[in-house]
Amino acid sequence: MPGSPNRPVRRRAFVLGGAAAAGTAALSGPLATAASAASFGWSDDGSNYVVDTGANLVFKVSKANGDLTSLVYRGTEYQGYGGKNSHVESGLGSSTVTIKQSGTTILISVAYGTLKHYYAARSGENNIYLWTNKADTSVSATRYIVRVKAGLFLNDEPDSYTYAPTVIESADVFAKSDGQTRSKHYAKRRVIDYSAIGWTTGSVGLYVVRSNHEKASGGPFYRSLLRHQSTDGGGLYEILYYGENQTEAERFGLQGPYVIAFTDGGTPSSALYPGTLTTAWADSLGISGYVAASGRGKVAGVGISGRDTAYAYTVGLADSAAQYWGSARSSDGWFSIGGVLPGTYTLTVFKGELAVHTTSVTVTAGVTTTLNTIAVASSNDPANATAIWRIGTWDGTPAGFKNAELMTYAHPSDVRAAAWTGNVVIGSGSETASFPAYIWKDVNSGLLVYFRLTAAQAAAAHTLRIGVTTAYANGRPQVTVNGWVSSIPSPPAQPSTRSLTVGSYRGNNTTFTYSVPASAWLSDTSQYNVLKIDVVSGSGTTSYLSAGTSIDALDLLA
């Protein structure tokens, strides 16, 4: 049969007047490129399946291992650097690769043990749709990397460029000659902050449009690799499970679609973005684990009361099999989360990145589960407690602290970082900006906070709270107030991998509380009480890889 996997015959049809035009009808903006005179179809060159989308894109997939071996757009080859192809993880090895055409769609299926991977092309589109179904841990991570030839895109973005000559940590964090640092790990953006990542020359754009991450781990605020460049080329990533600073167990099953998209220089059409991307055309392709829209449900909430309107609120759904999220409307907290697989989920309301409410919700296929107004209890938001003084804001992030923003795209040793010292005086007006976002045992342990108390305050015991967002090597704070020393708290449950030095403060938000007796305070109200904060741990190494922690907020309660 012409065009079948067993016959290297080019299948030809669907030029402008037919399916090619239908393939572009739903697209707008930069992706609405008219199909060329080339025919939509596929061929077999002996080593690869060659797919011509009938637009400006021709790509090849290896019949041996499922690698993407060629990516030609408008006659220019974009695929490849360092002799490497684009692929799942670092390449799957010997696989079973098949191809089929169903009208205006071509699907390439890759089977490697229990892992299934798919490439789909649509007539008249400059896109490759991808799905990955990982069933177990036989493949260590779940990522797809698009490897791009050097010299096609210029890039020195702080969250991606890795050409710098001096290695300063683990062969993946570098220092430039001017003292700025670079690493492929520096995502800068959280998953919730982007829908597509890529590069543009102004006339050609190459992007990876992320999936909805329902089978990823880490939630809406997770950061991981997005892109990198070096002297021999660059990489664009879809990261679903990387094992670095992960706060949740790995999820398994089909993830996708995510999309390799070429544009005329602009960002991809919003028609491709998570939450708006629909693939009804894929319902009958036989993709393993695929669940059509009809097999999914929706959760909608009429509002959230008890919010602090100075903050953005996010609603998340999570169970062991899937995760979803949506933004709450600023005016009233209304939210809607669609495309949810059936199941019972933990629903979490986040103020910033701090969980302030949880409940359970059950999702049924084809049904919208409507929730009445969710009331966030005052006691669930630590910011509602009356404090004698407070440094930082209770939002689950180190925002506002010294160097906090820089640390999402730079190493702590970066020349742009202010000194990691940070003794502060309460009442100075610059407490938060002067206090460092991170504290390490071997770098700046022993930070001091000076404050005065009234006679009535000094006569009473008080609770001291320190909120952290993650910790490395079991780092946690022990405090000394004047001559009183707290016990060493137990280490919180945190990821065991690097975090603070690879652009991530996102771990498990934890609050340490210390009951400070009245005898600890100075009776002379004209003198400053001194709070000393040390990081303690028996693990970690030295400098910025010693035990450390990221600060959310600290306060002394009235």
Side-chain angles (χ1 to χ4, degrees):
M1 176 179 177
S4 72
N6 300 317
R7 296 280 302 276
V9 177
R10 182 66 172 269
R11 190 165 183 170
R12 313 181 71 87
F14 312 118
V15 194
L16 287 171
T24 59
L27 300 179
S28 61
L31 282 179
T33 304
S36 68
S39 296
F40 173 70
W42 64 272
S43 62
D44 182 339
D45 69 4
S47 299
N48 306 277
Y49 291 124
V50 184
V51 177
D52 190 327
T53 67
N56 295 297
L57 176 62
V58 179
F59 65 93
K60 298 181 181 180
V61 174
S62 167
K63 294 166 57 180
N65 56 27
D67 284 3
L68 185 67
T69 60
S70 178
L71 194 60
V72 176
Y73 178 66
R74 294 180 180 171
T76 299
E77 176 67 76
Y78 284 82
Q79 152 58 38
Y81 72 81
K84 298 179 180 179
N85 298 320
S86 301
H87 39 219
V88 176
E89 190 35 9
S90 296
L92 295 177
S94 180
S95 303
T96 300
V97 184
T98 58
I99 189 169
K100 68 177 181 179
Q101 182 169 338
S102 303
T104 61
T105 301
I106 293 171
L107 181 72
I108 298 176
S109 303
V110 182
Y112 174 79
T114 59
L115 184 142
K116 306 288 192 299
H117 181 71
Y118 303 90
Y119 302 88
R122 296 277 288 161
S123 177
E125 293 188 16
N126 295 314
N127 308 318
I128 306 173
Y129 298 83
L130 302 94
W131 289 261
T132 304
N133 189 333
K134 182 180 177 183
D136 52 40
T137 58
S138 57
V139 175
S140 62
T142 314
R143 71 171 183 176
Y144 194 92
I145 177 171
V146 180
R147 301 186 185 271
V148 183
K149 291 176 64 177
L152 296 173
F153 299 99
L154 296 177
N155 183 59
D156 188 10
E157 296 296 325
D159 62 344
S160 63
Y161 204 46
T162 59
Y163 81 97
T166 304
V167 176
I168 59 175
E169 184 180 301
S170 300
D172 58 14
V173 183
F174 305 86
K176 295 173 60 177
S177 58
D178 63 3
Q180 291 191 13
T181 54
R182 296 287 190 269
S183 176
K184 65 182 180 181
H185 295 287
Y186 295 153
K188 195 172 184 179
R189 301 172 183 87
R190 307 167 301 172
V191 175
I192 197 174
D193 295 329
Y194 74 96
S195 294
I197 192 73
W199 297 298
T200 180
T201 64
S203 59
V204 173
L206 172 55
Y207 293 85
V208 169
V209 181
R210 72 165 173 84
S211 65
N212 67 355
H213 276 221
E214 71 179 2
K215 295 296 184 179
S217 297
F221 314 123
Y222 184 66
R223 284 180 168 87
S224 191
L225 289 72
L226 294 181
R227 60 185 177 179
H228 80 273
Q229 279 198 1
S230 56
T231 54
D232 58 354
L236 299 175
Y237 298 89
E238 166 77 336
I239 298 290
L240 302 172
Y241 188 83
Y242 197 60
E244 187 169 76
N245 213 36
Q246 290 283 358
T247 57
E248 298 177 295
E250 185 172 10
R251 293 182 171 94
F252 300 104
L254 183 71
Q255 180 62 61
Y258 49 103
V259 187
I260 302 171
F262 281 96
T263 76
D264 59 6
T267 56
S269 166
S270 61
L272 289 181
Y273 285 172
T276 60
L277 173 59
T278 57
T279 55
W281 50 266
D283 291 359
S284 60
L285 293 180
I287 295 173
S288 175
Y290 184 93
V291 179
S294 61
R296 297 170 178 269
K298 178 186 289 187
V299 176
V302 299
I304 303 172
S305 64
R307 294 174 300 120
D308 183 339
T309 56
Y311 295 88
Y313 281 70
T314 302
V315 179
L317 304 175
D319 68 3
S320 61
Q323 61 170 8
Y324 308 90
W325 56 82
S327 298
R329 192 161 61 190
S330 60
S331 60
D332 55 9
W334 175 90
F335 63 90
S336 179
I337 305 171
V340 180
L341 293 171
T344 298
Y345 295 87
T346 297
L347 182 151
T348 303
V349 177
F350 296 93
K351 168 197 172 185
E353 297 184 20
L354 185 67
V356 293
H357 179 86
T358 60
T359 189
S360 180
V361 62
T362 298
V363 178
T364 303
V367 174
T368 297
T369 301
T370 303
L371 304 178
N372 294 325
T373 297
I374 295 173
V376 175
S378 177
S379 59
N380 285 354
D381 185 345
N384 290 328
T386 302
I388 296 171
W389 54 259
R390 177 170 292 143
I391 305 175
T393 57
W394 290 98
D395 65 355
T397 82
F401 285 107
K402 185 194 296 185
N403 295 326
E405 183 179 1
L406 177 66
M407 286 302 97
T408 62
Y409 58 91
H411 190 268
S413 65
D414 194 288
V415 68
R416 294 166 291 179
W420 286 103
T421 54
N423 299 338
V424 300
V425 177
I426 299 299
S428 65
S430 60
E431 296 93 335
T432 301
S434 299
F435 198 87
Y438 299 166
I439 308 176
W440 292 270
K441 182 178 181 180
D442 201 36
V443 175
N444 57 348
S445 185
L447 293 174
L448 303 178
V449 178
Y450 298 89
F451 59 96
R452 290 191 177 99
L453 297 176
T454 66
Q457 292 167 343
H462 295 287
T463 296
L464 173 72
R465 303 186 301 183
I466 300 179
V468 305
T469 69
T470 195
Y472 176 67
N474 289 324
R476 66 267 195 199
Q478 181 183 30
V479 301
T480 301
V481 179
N482 300 318
W484 178 83
V485 181
S486 76
S487 60
I488 297 176
S490 299
Q494 297 288 4
S496 60
T497 57
R498 288 180 299 162
S499 54
L500 305 180
T501 60
V502 290
S504 177
Y505 60 76
R506 180 71 281 130
N508 295 313
N509 288 319
T510 303
T511 300
F512 296 93
T513 60
Y514 310 84
S515 298
V516 185
S519 60
W521 313 120
L522 298 179
S523 58
D524 185 346
T525 58
S526 66
Q527 293 185 331
Y528 282 106
N529 291 272
V530 182
L531 165 66
K532 181 185 178 186
I533 304 171
D534 288 298
V535 173
V536 293
S537 172
S539 54
T541 56
T542 60
S543 189
Y544 299 109
L545 289 178
S546 64
T549 191
S550 169
I551 303 298
D552 178 11
L554 59 156
D555 55 22
L556 184 67
L557 300 186

